[in-house]
Amino acid sequence: MLSWNWFRHPSGRSLEELNCIKDEIAAYEFSHNGKDEWKWSLHGSGHFHTSVLTELITMRLSSEAATTSTLRNNFLPQKVEIFVWQVLKNRLSVRTELEKRGIDLDSTRCPICENHIGTLDHTLLHCSFALEIWGRVHC
């Protein structure tokens, strides 16, 4: 049991935050010998090992590759592959996606042309700037 010694008792938002912290703390078991330590739940020993983490990531990526089709091209730089993957998975941080993730924006309009909603299609295909770039690429 934790004891609290306050200079000034919290109220309002501070009290709400304190209650959230208390709820988080309640989920942990503290040792009685005075030696609390972090335990890593992904390994039986409770200790963090980069080799185990690398193995887990490799297993996860290989299982995802087995269940979904992936785009691999040895001629493209990795950052281009990542960009294409983000486009295919609708993971680019365009205005509408940021708003869906709860990020407070002044507007969801395209920051370049300000004429249309900043969707993925608009940003990559229909925006005046994108059309200019595509025109230069196709020359």
Side-chain angles (χ1 to χ4, degrees):
M1 178 76 176
L2 298 173
S3 63
W4 305 91
N5 188 7
W6 301 106
F7 176 72
R8 183 174 53 119
H9 289 282
S11 62
R13 184 173 178 182
S14 297
L15 185 58
E16 289 176 31
E17 290 177 358
L18 174 64
N19 289 331
C20 287
I21 291 171
K22 284 181 179 179
D23 291 342
E24 289 291 324
I25 291 173
Y28 293 98
E29 290 182 33
F30 295 96
S31 67
H32 297 288
N33 65 4
K35 291 184 174 182
D36 290 320
E37 61 182 11
W38 289 102
K39 296 270 186 187
W40 193 44
S41 63
L42 297 178
H43 192 259
S45 71
H47 298 287
F48 174 80
H49 298 280
T50 54
S51 60
V52 175
L53 181 60
T54 303
E55 184 180 320
L56 290 169
I57 290 171
T58 303
M59 287 172 36
R60 173 70 188 250
L61 290 176
S62 63
S63 68
E64 279 187 21
T67 58
T68 61
S69 60
T70 57
L71 175 67
R72 286 282 170 224
N73 186 331
N74 293 332
F75 300 109
L76 291 175
Q78 186 178 11
K79 59 180 143 185
V80 173
E81 286 187 31
I82 292 169
F83 176 78
V84 170
W85 179 83
Q86 287 176 320
V87 169
L88 293 174
K89 296 289 187 178
N90 201 20
R91 297 285 187 180
L92 281 183
S93 296
V94 294
R95 294 281 176 117
T96 53
E97 292 304 311
L98 292 173
E99 184 182 50
K100 284 180 193 174
R101 296 176 196 158
I103 297 174
D104 188 25
L105 302 170
D106 292 337
S107 169
T108 56
R109 294 206 167 274
C110 172
I112 298 168
C113 70
E114 297 182 350
N115 293 329
H116 300 280
I117 301 297
T119 63
L120 182 63
D121 285 346
H122 172 76
T123 303
L124 294 179
L125 303 172
H126 305 296
C127 179
S128 56
F129 180 73
L131 291 172
E132 183 180 329
I133 298 298
W134 284 118
R136 290 181 184 188
V137 170
H138 285 110
C139 287

